[in-house]
Structures are given as C-alpha cells and as structure tokens.
Amino acid sequence: MRKANFNLLALMLMCFLFLIFVQDVSGEVLPEINPPTDLTATVVSSSQINLAWMDNSSNETGFIIERKIDNGAYEQISTVPENAITFADTGLIANKTYTYRVQAYNDAGNSAYSNETEATTAENTPEAPSNLSASVESATSIKITWTDNSSNETGFKIERNTSGGSYSQITTVSANATNYTDTGLVSG
C-alpha cells in the first residue's frame, strides 16, 4: 500500500511538472506564454471594427483572434504575426454586436484568453432621396415630392429657404413618405 501511494504521488508530481513546463521534440523547455490583455474594440463604420491589445509575451509566434456575433459561439476569424497589437475586422454587418477575444500561441500551445470586449457596428447611413420636385397647390401652399431610395431611414427632414437665404428645417415626415405639402405660405 505504501509503495502504491508513493507511485501515485510520483505520478501526480510528474503531471504537475508537465503542466508547468512543456517540452518540444528537441528537448528545449519552453516557458509559459503570457496572454494578451487590455483588449479594446473601436467601431470605425457600419462594416469595420478595429481591435487593439497589450502584447505581454516575448515568446509568441502570433495571436489567434476569435469573434462571436450576438449570443453565438466563438469562431476563429484570423491570426496575426508575433508582436502584432492591432487587427481590423472588416466586411461586418451593420448594427450587429460582435464580441472578441485574443490569445497568443507558439509551439508549446496557446495562452489563456484575453479579456472579452464587444462593439456594435454603426447603422448604415440612409441613401439620399432623389427626383425632388415642387408644384404649386395654391397661392399659399407648395407640394414637394421625391423618390425614397432607402430602406433604413427613420424619417425625412424637410428644409426650406426663402429668397436665396440659408436652409432651415421646417418639419420631419415619417419613414417611407414621398411627399409633403408646405402650407400657410405668403404669396408673392
């Protein structure tokens, strides 16, 4: 029984030492790789988020970048070389939440993950309306019409200028509207 306990203790010690140091095929002992920290995500546009992190290791081969969309599962989206501290994630969908994490890697394996960070891409800017035209409805009203070229607007701002002055907003109309009648105008 005593010999079995000794063998078990020896096996546990060997496993513990294996967890601390990893030995590659050449016999060189590779130290633990430190994980990146301070991961941040900055929204650039409706289709791009830039990542930045602190490189805390001197023995990485590179970094693995993982992303999940909304509440989905993480997927590896890219790797970058050693000493890299930024990554531009492009081709994203507008108005979506993306969560990221990064880990360093080398021949010994992967570090722990960085902190998670998330960002939501900007909404697409609506397309401008076109084919604006105005017609006199009466001595005190003008009807304007336009073509709605967008599918994501929340409304339209109606602006007017008089006698070549500067434009000022007079009202807003709802999404998908294609006309507005300006009433109460002074004839002349």
Side-chain angles (χ1 to χ4, degrees), residues 84-144:
I85 56 170
T86 61
F87 174 75
D89 192 9
T90 59
L92 303 176
I93 299 168
N95 202 30
K96 280 278 187 195
T97 299
Y98 295 89
T99 305
Y100 298 90
R101 64 186 183 186
V102 176
Q103 65 182 163
Y105 71 92
N106 65 17
D107 291 337
N110 298 347
S111 72
Y113 286 105
S114 68
N115 58 294
E116 291 182 338
T117 189
E118 74 175 34
T120 303
T121 49
E123 290 189 45
N124 283 328
T125 304
E127 293 292 321
S130 60
N131 302 319
L132 180 64
S133 65
S135 59
V136 175
E137 292 281 301
S138 71
T140 59
S141 67
I142 295 176
K143 181 177 184 177
I144 59 173

Side-chain angles (χ1 to χ4, degrees), residues 129 132-134 142-146 155-162 165-173 179-182 185:
L132 180 64
S133 65
I142 295 176
K143 181 177 184 177
I144 59 173
T145 61
W146 60 87
F156 293 92
K157 295 178 181 179
I158 308 296
E159 297 183 351
R160 165 179 63 195
N161 84 19
T162 55
S166 60
Y167 281 90
S168 61
Q169 184 175 322
I170 58 171
T171 193
T172 59
V173 294
N179 66 71
Y180 171 75
T181 302
D182 192 5
L185 301 173

Side-chain angles (χ1 to χ4, degrees), residues 37-115:
T37 56
D38 301 325
L39 177 62
T40 61
T42 304
V43 176
V44 176
S45 69
S46 62
S47 63
Q48 181 175 337
I49 295 174
N50 287 348
L51 304 178
W53 59 87
M54 174 82 64
D55 176 359
N56 295 311
S57 57
S58 59
N59 61 338
E60 81 271 3
T61 302
F63 294 92
I64 299 168
I65 299 156
E66 294 184 357
R67 172 185 73 201
K68 68 178 180 176
I69 302 172
D70 296 324
N71 293 319
Y74 274 104
E75 294 182 9
Q76 180 177 328
I77 58 169
S78 190
T79 59
V80 292
E82 64 183 306
N83 300 323
I85 56 170
T86 61
F87 174 75
D89 192 9
T90 59
L92 303 176
I93 299 168
N95 202 30
K96 280 278 187 195
T97 299
Y98 295 89
T99 305
Y100 298 90
R101 64 186 183 186
V102 176
Q103 65 182 163
Y105 71 92
N106 65 17
D107 291 337
N110 298 347
S111 72
Y113 286 105
S114 68
N115 58 294

